[in-house]
């Protein structure tokens, strides 16, 4: 029997504090060789849409499976999520199908949880001002996650669509200051989240104050950028996966191609910092940057946690596929 978990089931069993802890464990496992996963396979579907397959195996605690994700920007005009995903969880001993999980919410939550891990280990302890560029699901999930690791006194936001920005601010559980420009949001901020769909830079180097921590969760194709190349060159650059970063991140791939920096500019994977092998920052005035692309290990660890909680709480529907 396989357990089917809907988005509502996932929302009922996963909490952000627990997910942040699970992501720390998964990132450390990935960077210590306890995860087997290839860089995701991507099938391009026109200029912007693509389908990705993300299989993986975590040795301990054992998890086996894959996420299938479709990114369809045109869905925004249809009133549908631009990211749709499903996760298949297999029994690591027998290979039998254990669960089918809706992956949209898991992707939304685990992305923000990983960003919170980066802020916990890389942002200054006294970080007080949070700036979010974007007003969609990732802006909302990051606003839920980041205050769990830093005591922000001010939250600013900017979005290219003013109506979306005003709705984001109105619906926020904490006060959010809607800014007229991206520069207004970023200047003087201690933690900066880039959660837009930009394919060209949405942030300029000159806007970023010394000591800031930047979290970049967009631009996951090798031809896309969401940051000023001078900012990437300036910052202490950390990624979730070096293999993925050198294949998928345009902010890194293009910077290397243009000789703005070498591959060694990527100082660490976040899992190495979590494990204490390298520091997140070396001074209070240093600008730090975490480039997040998303790992199968993150999805599998989240799915395993949701599956275990669902079993305990009797959530989901069981189906018999035979075999």
């Amino acid at each position: 029997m396989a357990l089917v978990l809907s988005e509502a089931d996932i929302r009922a069993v996963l909490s952000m504090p627990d997910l942040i802890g699970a992501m720390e464990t998964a990132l450390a496992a990935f960077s210590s060789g306890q995860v087997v996963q290839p860089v995701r396979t991507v099938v391009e579907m026109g200029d912007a849409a693509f389908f990705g397959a993300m299989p993986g195996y975590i040795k301990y605690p054992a998890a086996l499976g894959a996420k299938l994700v479709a990114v369809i920007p045109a869905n925004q005009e249809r009133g549908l999520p631009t990211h749709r995903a499903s996760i298949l969880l297999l029994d690591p001993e027998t290979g039998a199908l254990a669960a089918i999980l809706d992956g949209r919410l898991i992707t939304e939550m685990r992305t923000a949880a990983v960003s919170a891990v980066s802020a916990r280990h890389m942002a200054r302890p006294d970080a007080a001002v949070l700036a979010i560029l974007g007003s969609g699901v990732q802006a909302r999930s990051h606003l839920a996650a980041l205050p769990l690791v830093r005591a922000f006194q001010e939250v600013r936001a900017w979005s290219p669509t003013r109506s979306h920005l005003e709705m984001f601010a109105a619906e926020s559980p904490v006060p959010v200051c809607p800014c007229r420009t991206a520069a207004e949001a970023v200047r003087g901020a201690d933690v900066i989240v880039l959660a837009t769909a930009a394919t060209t830079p949405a942030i300029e180097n000159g806007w970023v104050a010394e000591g800031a921590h930047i979290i970049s969760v967009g631009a996951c194709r090798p031809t896309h950028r969401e940051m000023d190349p001078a900012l990437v060159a300036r910052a202490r650059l950390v990624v979730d996966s070096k293999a993925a970063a050198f294949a998928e991140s345009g902010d890194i791939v293009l910077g290397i191609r243009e000789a703005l920096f070498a591959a060694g500019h990527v100082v660490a994977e976040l899992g190495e910092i979590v494990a204490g092998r390298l520091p997140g920052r070396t001074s209070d005035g240093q600008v730090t940057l975490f480039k997040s692309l998303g790992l199968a290990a993150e999805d599998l660890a989240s799915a395993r946690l949701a599956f275990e909680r669902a079993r305990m709480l009797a959530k989901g529907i069981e189906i018999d596929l035979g075999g």
Side-chain angles (χ1 to χ4, degrees):
M1 301 289 282
L3 188 65
V4 179
L5 297 178
S6 68
E7 180 170 318
D9 294 325
I10 301 298
R11 196 178 300 278
V13 300
L14 281 186
S15 73
M16 189 61 77
D18 287 345
L19 203 52
I20 291 172
M23 293 303 94
E24 281 193 313
T25 300
L27 289 161
F30 176 80
S31 294
S32 62
Q34 298 303 303
V35 174
V36 181
Q37 67 165 73
V39 174
R40 80 185 111 213
T41 298
V42 173
V43 177
E44 303 283 355
M45 300 187 299
D47 293 335
F50 65 89
F51 168 75
M54 301 170 63
Y57 168 57
I58 303 174
K59 296 179 182 178
Y60 182 82
L64 174 68
K67 182 171 81 172
L68 306 177
V69 56
V71 178
I72 315 288
N75 274 358
Q76 187 169 4
E77 300 171 4
R78 304 179 179 114
L80 298 172
T82 57
H83 291 59
R84 310 298 288 267
S86 300
I87 300 173
L88 304 181
L89 202 60
L90 310 180
D91 185 317
E93 291 188 8
T94 68
L97 180 65
I100 303 171
L101 303 92
D102 180 88
R104 194 212 65 78
L105 182 59
I106 285 180
T107 301
E108 173 188 327
M109 291 183 68
R110 64 83 164 147
T111 301
V114 169
S115 294
V117 173
S118 83
R120 173 179 283 168
H121 293 273
M122 298 177 66
R124 296 192 330 272
D126 63 348
V129 179
L130 170 64
I132 300 175
L133 303 191
S135 57
V137 294
Q138 282 302 332
R140 288 171 167 79
S141 62
H142 279 74
L143 187 55
L146 290 169
L148 296 175
V149 298
R150 288 293 183 270
F152 296 110
Q153 299 172 13
E154 180 184 355
V155 179
R156 308 171 186 164
W158 171 84
S159 172
T161 306
R162 185 70 191 186
S163 61
H164 293 175
L165 174 63
E166 291 174 351
M167 185 180 299
F168 172 59
E171 295 176 350
S172 170
V174 300
V176 172
C177 175
C179 295
R180 293 168 298 175
T181 65
E184 181 183 336
V186 168
R187 292 188 191 277
D190 302 308
V191 176
I192 303 160
V193 177
L194 305 180
T196 75
T199 58
T200 56
I203 184 173
E204 293 185 13
N205 181 40
W207 302 345
V208 177
E210 294 298 313
H213 175 56
I214 303 154
I215 300 166
S216 167
V217 300
C220 61
R221 304 302 301 133
T223 56
H224 295 174
R225 270 180 164 143
E226 64 178 351
M227 292 176 282
D228 181 346
L231 176 59
V232 182
R234 170 188 175 193
R236 178 176 176 81
L237 176 57
V238 172
V239 299
D240 46 11
S241 162
K242 288 184 179 180
F246 295 138
E248 296 184 337
S249 171
D251 286 299
I252 296 172
V253 171
L254 296 175
I256 293 173
R257 186 179 302 164
E258 294 162 0
L260 297 175
F261 46 80
H265 185 58
V266 178
V267 298
E269 291 178 340
L270 184 56
E272 296 177 277
I273 292 171
V274 169
R277 294 199 293 273
L278 290 166
R281 65 170 48 242
T282 59
S283 71
D284 284 347
Q286 186 175 54
V287 173
T288 57
L289 167 59
F290 172 58
K291 180 61 193 179
S292 175
L293 290 163
L295 303 177
E298 298 163 2
D299 295 308
L300 293 179
S302 302
R304 181 185 60 217
L305 179 60
F307 175 69
E308 292 170 350
R309 294 282 175 81
R311 286 291 195 203
M312 291 172 55
L313 299 172
K315 296 289 186 180
I317 301 171
E318 289 193 328
I319 60 172
D320 186 358
L321 297 179

